[in-house]
Amino acid sequence: TDIPVDGPCRAALESLCATVPPGDGRLARCLRQADRAAKARKEALPVPQACRGQVMEFFVKLAHSGINPFSSSLVRAEPVEGFRAACMEDILTMCRSRPDVLVMGCLKAKKSQLSSDCKEKVFAVQVNQAQNYSLDAPLFAACKADVASLKGCQRGAGPGGRLACLKGHRTSVSDGCKQELFRREQQDSEDIRLNQDVLSTCKAEIQTSCKYLEFGEARMLKCLWDASTKRTTLTASFSQRCREKVYNLTMHSVSDYRLDFRVRTRCDKDIDELCGKEKEAVDRLSIADLFGNDGQQGFFSEGQSGQVLRCLKSNYLKVKKMMCREAVMQVISIQAAHAAADPVLMRACNWDLSTHCQGSKPGEIHACLRKKMNELSLECREEELLQGALEASDITLKPRLFYTCKHAMGTFCNDISPGGAKMYQCLQDNRLKTDFPLECKKAIVKDLEASNNDWRLKFGISENCKPEMERMCKHPMQQGGGKALKCLKKHYLNVTVEGCKQALTRYVRQGTENIKLAPAVFDQCQVDVERYCQDVQPGSGRVHDCLYKHKRNISEECAKAEFHNEMLQMHDFGVSSGLVRYCKASRKKFCPDVSTQGGQLLACMQDHINDEAMPTDCKHELRKHMERQQADFFLNPLVKKFCNETARKICPGELKKAAKKDLTSHGDLLTCMMKKRALINNTDCKNALFKKEQQRVSDIRLAPATSDLCRSDTVKFCGSIQSRGQGETRMCLAAHMKSLTDGCREKIMDYTEMASEDVRFKAKLYNLCKAASKRHCPDIKVGGGRMINCLLDHMHNTEMDPHCRDELVEEQTWRSKNIRFNPILKTSCKSDIMKLLGEQKCGNPSVEGWKINCLTKHRSELTAPACKTAVTGILKRQSADYRAVPGMERSCKKDVERLCNTTGLGRGKIHACLREQEQKITDPVCKKMVNRTHEVDKQSATINYNVRKNCYNERQAFCKDVPSGDMVLLGCLAANMNETQFSKGCRESLAKTNFKKALVKAPTLSVAHLKHLLRENRGIVEKYGPILLGGTVAFVILCGFVISYFVIKRKQLFNFTIYGSVAPRDEPEDLEH
């Protein structure tokens, strides 16, 4: 029952164990403990080699003799001190029927049921066996011959050396040895201390990375695995040998459920319930059949291992015990980091790996297979999809990504729990921020590239989009691969399930940022990318921008794929990575309640593009979208919605070209509709098209054809202009109109003409004159040039905002240059100008404003009433401001500077100054213009600015119902100018007119004028009807002047007008009614 006291151990016993009584293995245990203590102190071993061999031989014999439960002492000698007392009851209860040599194996198999004291003693026996495999009698018996035959295993290196050698050759040992090794590995999986090879190799790493953990429950191996896969300051010192040992042990532990202590002990009930069939099948297999005999290739090309773990993975959501779920999650995480840890997948993908992923690093196999998802064999695809779908549900199941992005999670997603898919979605949504960690960003992109090849790899889509796929993409869904994702993207606008829409929006947005994350586009454009954009780094939409730049050269398939990509961004603000990235805050500020769908939010943001509070980056993105919308009718959701039918009617050829949806229409359909806008009756279409017109007028860079035609002229004449989208470039080019190339000149004329039609086309004027519009033109509708005309009529009002007035002066100058810039005049006088041109009365076409001059010069010959009114309005403005006269500001510039340099420019002051000093004017053209405008002023109280201003009250008092036109009104005022109520200012203004001539012409009042007077004085007519009418007709023939005078005087008599009740005004009202 103990070693002999004589022989090789005598001296050692006397010096080390003198007080220990012999028997029951006490002396042997004493010497063994002395050696272990010295080794722990890193001292020389005190027990001589010959004695050490005798001690070991004793324990081997003891282990092989077994335990006899029917012996009075149960054991011949205790393998560890206290074993008898601790384990007697457990042996008698659970293992008494076993043969002596198998009792210890029984205790180890039922270890979880043992008393704590016995469990402790059994573990001590296991530690001894881990150091010397000879102490494990069944293993020793099964593998003794293999140890003798295997090179390098005869003399094990250190404790557990021979056992480690056997494990290293497990595929080549005998079947019996394989079986015993498998049993031993199951038992050893509980505690890393039972694996002396790994324990001794990783001692330092355990102290640094896992020192606060208790041994047992497979905790230490998990800790070492997790630490070895991280890249932190603590794991930087991880030795390569330890890393390899941990890797090999972990890979083996997840090859069969029985080798994973946590799965085996925590999932027993779930395995029986969910995977009973698989468990029964593998439990019947021999170890050779279970793992195969691949030797250097591992256990995975052959065999049937991993079936139960695979079953648990596929039923993961059905697992009831949380501790079992955690154990399965660990398996999934290990297999995510290294595909080689999944024997089922490796067997299914053996051919695929050699075909598609030869040379891939161990940690990149999954990414390689997922990128080739559509080309994988059916079996391989099924296994890769299972693994990928599980990873997508929780970022912790992507260990490489998880540890790479741990800092980013704490910084950008600290309010989200690490588990689940939300953390990964948060990282995806924040990866474009400037301070986002680069390594994490790269890892996310790489993972997205791989997972974008099948809908089941996208957690949000696989979870929420099945109903939508059943409705719209049933066949692609069944086919698998990336076809279902392509189908969903194709039908994006028809998706209604909210959760699916959100997940799909994120997926599509990622593709707009990086073309490699848009398989549907990249597959069609790969050749074009290599040809035109090979030096462009993917990300931030750069490759998409490059392809758009070469849109006329890329293949039709690529162009259509890019068009669809652009179209989705125009429809849904949330799909555009640039808008989401740069305009998030601005959206909340300017358009907080506007829907992201249907292009509404994009349109709202574009309306605010020139706001000072709009960030530059957001402006850039908005302008880019505007440029692309202007180039294609179908990239404008609102225009397409309201104008499709109209376009079919008025621009069928351009619509047919645009309907190809291949980025080649170059804005032709929109241009056509803008030219024919007068034919559009649909109000919604007009409003939608108006926005596009407004954008082009404000920034000609948004008009594709104009931008092309004017590129050289812009560089030549306006290179220094900093365009803010308020028409600066267009106005600059217009200032050089005569020097522009022909094509550019015509385009600038078109857009300047368009700008004159609506004050909203002129951003600066519109913004500066908002208050003036409300004050002076509250009832005037915008459009058709009406609001600008009204503002011009009031521009000299003293209450007019000076900044608004300055812009109106600029507008007035433009209008004086060409009739096309006067929409009301151009439309109203179309027939009259054609008549005058036909009669060759309009002079030299090269003269600035020649058609305007023609109309004003031949005013008396005009036939259209609307034209007469429009021309009168022009003359009124010319009377108030010499700058409104075509060419007068330029022709009179020097004379004004010399003669009137202290005179205000508006309110007729320059006219008055030049007329007073007419003889001093040196420029003949200027003098001619001064005389011509003077003659017009002298003949019309309606036109003459000073008369309108200074005689406003007099007209209200004496000539309220006298119609304007010819010299009638002037005659009426002249007839009453000697009345005491007449103001001095009015008399002085009238004195500068042909008022005497007006008095002479006044008697020739027409019957129409008289009818007008009678109609306006209906009360008198009703009282004196027949007599008054008969007398009036008779006196018109005999003495028109007397009758006229009598009627005017009689009006005063019956109207009882009180002159003092009329308030004077700074700005004259329009005297025409």
Side-chain angles (χ1 to χ4, degrees):
T1 61
D2 211 336
I3 61 172
V5 294
D6 294 326
C9 294
R10 181 175 180 176
L13 287 172
E14 290 176 353
S15 62
L16 299 171
C17 307
T19 60
V20 176
D24 207 13
R26 284 187 287 270
L27 295 178
R29 291 196 299 273
C30 174
L31 291 174
R32 183 172 62 181
Q33 184 58 36
D35 261 1
R36 288 181 178 176
K39 186 176 180 180
R41 295 193 300 270
K42 297 181 180 182
E43 297 174 356
L45 300 182
V47 179
Q49 181 65 36
C51 176
R52 196 178 303 126
Q54 192 176 53
V55 171
M56 183 56 62
E57 185 179 351
F58 168 79
F59 283 114
V60 170
K61 288 182 179 179
L62 182 64
H64 287 219
S65 63
I67 302 171
N68 184 356
F70 299 104
S71 126
S72 59
S73 62
L74 291 180
V75 291
R76 296 167 179 82
E78 290 188 309
V80 292
E81 188 175 0
F83 181 84
R84 182 183 297 112
C87 293
M88 183 185 296
E89 185 176 345
D90 289 315
I91 292 173
L92 292 174
T93 303
M94 291 179 275
C95 303
R96 67 183 298 165
S97 63
R98 301 294 177 91
D100 295 2
V101 74
L102 299 181
V103 170
M104 183 58 71
C106 171
L107 289 173
K108 290 192 287 186
K110 298 178 180 291
K111 192 174 178 181
S112 61
Q113 304 172 41
L114 302 179
S115 64
S116 58
D117 290 341
C118 182
K119 192 181 295 183
E120 181 181 343
K121 298 306 177 182
V122 169
F123 179 76
V125 172
Q126 288 180 288
V127 171
N128 291 335
Q129 291 177 345
Q131 294 179 345
N132 190 331
Y133 94 107
S134 302
L135 298 179
D136 187 337
L139 179 65
F140 181 79
C143 298
K144 184 177 181 180
D146 296 285
V147 170
S149 64
L150 288 172
K151 187 178 179 180
C153 289
Q154 292 88 350
R155 291 179 60 83
R162 287 192 179 91
L163 182 58
C165 181
L166 282 171
K167 291 178 180 178
H169 294 84
R170 60 167 61 89
T171 59
S172 57
V173 298
S174 62
D175 289 347
C177 184
K178 285 179 181 177
Q179 198 72 39
E180 283 303 317
L181 267 177
F182 185 67
R183 173 191 60 78
R184 177 62 181 271
E185 286 171 333
Q186 292 179 57
Q187 297 169 356
D188 292 351
S189 65
E190 174 190 3
D191 198 308
I192 202 170
R193 290 174 293 182
L194 301 181
N195 191 315
Q196 290 290 309
D197 183 36
V198 177
L199 180 68
S200 59
T201 303
C202 296
K203 189 174 183 179
E205 286 77 7
I206 290 173
Q207 287 298 312
T208 55
S209 300
C210 310
K211 61 182 178 181
Y212 298 113
L213 281 181
E214 292 183 16
F215 285 94
E217 295 284 328
R219 281 185 286 265
M220 202 57 70
L221 178 60
K222 179 180 183 301
C223 175
L224 287 171
W225 167 262
D226 291 343
S228 69
T229 55
K230 297 178 185 178
R231 291 292 183 269
T232 66
T233 54
L234 284 177
T235 60
S237 59
F238 236 76
S239 69
Q240 186 60 32
R241 286 191 68 240
C242 175
R243 204 182 295 274
E244 289 175 359
K245 296 288 185 183
V246 170
Y247 173 81
N248 291 332
L249 180 57
T250 303
M251 295 295 102
H252 188 53
S253 70
V254 294
S255 63
D256 186 89
Y257 79 100
R258 290 163 289 186
L259 296 177
D260 188 314
F261 177 81
R262 292 185 170 212
V263 172
R264 186 178 77 243
T265 58
R266 297 179 179 183
C267 298
D268 50 345
K269 291 183 180 179
D270 285 298
I271 289 174
D272 290 338
E273 183 177 336
L274 301 172
C275 307
K277 182 179 177 181
E278 290 79 4
K279 177 179 182 292
E280 183 180 355
V282 298
D283 285 355
R284 287 201 305 263
L285 294 173
S286 67
I287 302 306
D289 291 335
L290 182 64
F291 291 117
N293 292 287
D294 287 340
Q296 299 304 317
Q297 297 299 321
F299 305 157
F300 307 138
S301 297
E302 296 180 5
Q304 301 177 54
S305 61
Q307 295 294 336
V308 174
L309 288 173
R310 199 265 183 201
C311 173
L312 286 172
K313 285 167 60 177
S314 63
N315 290 283
Y316 176 72
L317 296 178
K318 297 179 182 178
V319 173
K320 295 177 181 178
K321 290 176 66 177
M322 185 55 64
M323 293 182 71
C324 177
R325 277 200 178 194
E326 291 174 356
V328 176
M329 281 183 66
Q330 177 69 5
V331 173
I332 297 169
S333 174
I334 293 168
Q335 294 177 347
H338 295 277
D342 187 343
V344 178
L345 182 142
M346 294 300 284
R347 287 194 297 271
C349 297
N350 189 29
W351 177 86
D352 303 270
L353 289 171
S354 62
T355 303
H356 301 299
C357 304
Q358 201 167 25
S360 294
K361 295 178 181 178
E364 298 176 353
I365 290 176
H366 284 307
C368 173
L369 290 174
R370 290 169 196 174
K371 286 180 181 179
K372 299 289 184 179
M373 187 66 72
N374 295 330
E375 303 171 43
L376 299 181
S377 62
L378 185 61
E379 297 82 2
C380 180
R381 184 187 306 163
E382 184 179 353
E383 296 308 318
E384 189 57 52
L385 284 172
L386 172 60
Q387 178 67 28
L390 290 168
E391 290 177 28
S393 67
D394 194 327
I395 193 174
T396 60
L397 299 180
K398 298 175 181 280
R400 290 176 179 269
L401 185 66
F402 180 76
Y403 293 123
T404 302
C405 294
K406 204 159 188 180
H407 174 70
M409 287 188 284
T411 304
F412 297 94
C413 310
N414 59 354
D415 57 337
I416 297 176
S417 174
K422 289 185 177 179
M423 175 60 76
Y424 191 29
Q425 291 170 350
C426 173
L427 290 173
Q428 293 173 29
D429 294 342
N430 285 279
R431 69 186 171 86
L432 297 180
K433 291 184 177 179
T434 52
D435 52 345
F436 196 87
L438 181 60
E439 289 303 314
C440 179
K441 185 186 298 184
K442 289 180 179 179
I444 291 172
V445 171
K446 194 171 183 179
D447 185 72
L448 288 174
E449 279 186 51
S451 66
N452 279 355
N453 289 289
D454 196 286
W455 65 274
R456 288 161 289 192
L457 300 177
K458 312 295 293 182
F459 179 72
I461 291 176
S462 63
E463 185 183 37
N464 299 304
C465 292
K466 285 182 182 179
E468 296 288 32
M469 285 190 283
E470 288 283 352
R471 182 168 65 91
M472 297 181 290
C473 306
K474 190 169 185 178
H475 184 59
M477 175 185 174
Q478 293 170 345
Q479 286 182 308
K483 293 180 180 179
L485 285 174
K486 291 179 182 179
C487 178
L488 275 176
K489 184 177 179 181
K490 180 181 178 181
H491 295 285
Y492 176 85
L493 299 179
N494 299 319
V495 173
T496 57
V497 176
E498 185 61 29
C500 178
K501 191 76 170 184
Q502 290 177 359
L504 194 57
T505 297
R506 178 178 286 106
Y507 166 71
V508 177
R509 182 172 66 244
Q510 290 165 358
T512 66
E513 188 269 336
N514 188 329
I515 193 170
K516 289 189 174 181
L517 302 183
V521 180
F522 188 63
D523 290 349
Q524 300 294 334
C525 295
Q526 191 166 359
V527 173
D528 298 286
V529 170
E530 292 172 357
R531 180 176 299 169
Y532 301 108
C533 311
Q534 60 179 345
D535 297 328
V536 179
Q537 181 69 27
S540 297
R542 286 184 290 266
V543 176
H544 290 301
D545 291 344
C546 172
L547 290 172
Y548 190 86
K549 182 180 178 181
H550 293 89
K551 62 182 179 179
R552 297 182 185 180
N553 307 112
I554 60 179
S555 64
E556 183 179 358
E557 296 79 8
C558 179
K560 288 184 175 181
E562 277 294 319
F563 176 89
H564 188 255
N565 205 52
E566 294 291 340
M567 184 268 291
L568 292 182
Q569 295 183 70
M570 305 308 172
H571 269 272
D572 192 335
F573 190 93
V575 163
S576 171
S577 62
L579 292 176
V580 171
R581 180 180 182 182
Y582 296 117
C583 299
K584 188 175 181 180
S586 300
R587 174 200 171 181
K588 293 180 181 179
K589 179 179 179 66
F590 297 113
C591 310
D593 301 319
V594 180
S595 170
T596 62
Q597 308 294 311
Q600 297 178 63
L601 181 55
L602 179 58
C604 174
M605 292 293 289
Q606 288 174 351
D607 289 343
H608 294 278
I609 192 171
N610 292 316
D611 195 287
E612 291 182 0
M614 184 70 74
T616 302
D617 288 336
C618 182
K619 283 185 179 181
H620 173 76
E621 284 298 319
L622 290 171
R623 184 161 284 111
K624 182 173 77 173
H625 283 66
M626 288 163 68
E627 286 178 7
R628 296 180 185 181
Q629 285 185 315
Q630 288 287 353
D632 202 297
F633 173 88
F634 287 101
L635 292 182
N636 296 271
L638 297 177
V639 176
K640 175 177 175 276
K641 178 180 179 181
F642 296 120
C643 299
N644 199 47
E645 184 61 26
T646 302
R648 186 182 63 81
K649 293 178 180 178
I650 65 176
C651 301
E654 290 80 1
L655 177 62
K656 184 177 180 180
K657 182 180 178 182
K660 293 180 180 178
K661 299 181 180 179
D662 58 1
L663 303 176
T664 60
S665 69
H666 208 51
D668 296 339
L669 179 52
L670 285 174
T671 301
C672 173
M673 295 188 72
M674 291 175 187
K675 286 184 176 180
K676 297 181 179 181
R677 56 190 175 280
L679 302 177
I680 300 175
N681 298 318
N682 185 309
T683 302
D684 290 329
C685 177
K686 279 184 177 180
N687 292 337
L689 190 62
F690 171 82
K691 296 281 188 182
K692 303 295 111 181
E693 294 172 325
Q694 187 178 30
Q695 291 171 3
R696 288 193 180 188
V697 169
S698 300
D699 191 343
I700 62 166
R701 294 173 298 178
L702 300 177
T706 304
S707 180
D708 290 346
L709 289 169
C710 294
R711 186 167 286 114
S712 61
D713 289 316
T714 301
V715 173
K716 182 177 180 180
F717 300 111
C718 309
S720 62
I721 296 295
Q722 295 293 321
S723 178
R724 295 182 304 234
Q726 297 187 1
E728 296 91 346
T729 303
R730 175 182 56 79
M731 290 188 289
C732 171
L733 289 171
H736 297 84
M737 193 76 77
K738 293 183 179 180
S739 304
L740 301 179
T741 55
D742 293 343
C744 180
R745 184 188 306 114
E746 187 55 38
K747 290 294 182 182
I748 296 302
M749 286 289 291
D750 287 344
Y751 285 114
T752 304
E753 179 180 353
M754 188 185 294
S756 67
E757 295 181 0
D758 199 306
V759 68
R760 293 169 295 180
F761 286 159
K762 297 176 175 287
K764 191 174 181 182
L765 177 65
Y766 179 66
N767 292 326
L768 292 174
C769 295
K770 275 185 179 179
S773 299
K774 292 179 181 179
R775 182 182 186 89
H776 300 294
C777 312
D779 300 322
I780 302 297
K781 292 183 179 180
V782 293
R786 291 181 292 268
M787 181 60 74
I788 297 179
N789 269 11
C790 176
L791 289 169
L792 288 171
D793 290 340
H794 292 84
M795 66 182 288
H796 298 296
N797 191 314
T798 55
E799 296 174 348
M800 178 62 72
D801 179 85
H803 299 293
C804 174
R805 183 184 293 116
D806 290 342
E807 282 301 307
L808 288 170
V809 168
E810 185 73 17
E811 177 63 24
Q812 180 179 256
T813 300
W814 280 111
R815 289 184 173 234
S816 71
K817 296 178 183 297
N818 198 302
I819 193 173
R820 291 176 63 179
F821 307 156
N822 296 266
I824 294 177
L825 184 67
K826 180 189 69 173
T827 304
S828 303
C829 297
K830 186 175 182 180
S831 59
D832 282 302
I833 197 67
M834 292 299 294
K835 176 176 175 293
L836 293 170
L837 287 171
E839 295 171 355
Q840 298 184 350
K841 293 182 177 181
C842 291
N844 186 359
S846 64
V847 175
E848 187 177 276
W850 66 291
K851 287 185 179 180
I852 299 174
N853 288 336
C854 180
L855 290 170
T856 56
K857 182 179 180 181
H858 299 282
R859 184 167 63 101
S860 61
E861 302 174 40
L862 304 179
T863 58
C867 181
K868 289 181 178 181
T869 301
V871 171
T872 299
I874 293 292
L875 290 170
K876 287 162 67 175
R877 291 185 209 118
Q878 291 181 358
S879 174
D881 195 329
Y882 85 111
R883 293 168 294 188
V885 181
M888 189 170 183
E889 183 178 16
R890 184 182 66 255
S891 298
C892 296
K893 183 177 180 181
K894 292 182 179 179
D895 289 304
V896 170
E897 291 174 352
R898 183 169 53 86
L899 302 173
C900 312
N901 62 341
T902 61
T903 305
L905 296 178
R907 301 189 180 188
K909 293 179 180 180
I910 294 295
H911 281 311
C913 173
L914 291 174
R915 291 166 189 175
E916 290 174 1
Q917 305 184 73
E918 180 186 346
Q919 299 305 317
K920 298 180 181 180
I921 296 175
T922 57
D923 189 295
V925 177
C926 176
K927 183 177 287 189
K928 184 177 179 181
M929 290 180 172
V930 169
N931 288 328
R932 189 172 67 197
T933 57
H934 194 190
E935 283 303 311
V936 174
D937 273 1
K938 289 195 293 184
Q939 297 179 37
S940 176
T942 302
I943 292 172
N944 190 302
Y945 175 80
N946 287 317
V947 172
R948 286 187 292 129
K949 176 185 176 183
N950 296 325
C951 298
Y952 176 81
N953 289 334
E954 286 76 1
R955 180 189 171 170
Q956 295 299 309
F958 299 102
C959 308
K960 183 176 182 181
D961 297 315
V962 175
S964 302
D966 301 325
M967 300 182 76
V968 179
L969 181 56
L970 184 61
C972 173
L973 291 170
N976 292 278
M977 65 187 297
N978 292 324
E979 295 292 331
T980 56
Q981 298 98 325
F982 236 69
S983 67
K984 180 181 177 182
C986 182
R987 285 196 185 95
E988 290 176 351
S989 298
L990 288 172
K992 296 177 182 179
T993 67
N994 290 339
F995 71 94
K996 292 180 180 180
K997 186 177 179 181
L999 282 172
V1000 173
K1001 287 192 174 185
T1004 61
L1005 285 171
S1006 66
V1007 174
H1009 288 165
L1010 290 174
K1011 285 182 178 179
H1012 175 77
L1013 287 173
L1014 292 173
R1015 187 166 56 250
E1016 293 298 318
N1017 293 279
R1018 188 174 289 111
I1020 299 174
V1021 174
E1022 289 172 353
K1023 186 174 181 180
Y1024 302 104
I1027 300 173
L1028 183 59
L1029 181 59
T1032 301
V1033 173
F1035 277 99
V1036 163
I1037 299 171
L1038 298 174
C1039 50
F1041 176 78
V1042 175
I1043 293 173
S1044 177
Y1045 187 81
F1046 173 76
V1047 171
I1048 293 168
K1049 287 296 184 179
R1050 195 166 185 80
K1051 182 190 93 41
Q1052 296 176 34
L1053 176 64
F1054 288 97
N1055 277 355
F1056 301 102
T1057 302
I1058 301 175
Y1059 177 76
S1061 66
V1062 181
R1065 295 169 60 123
D1066 290 319
E1067 176 63 29
E1069 289 287 332
D1070 186 350
L1071 299 186
E1072 288 193 79
H1073 291 279

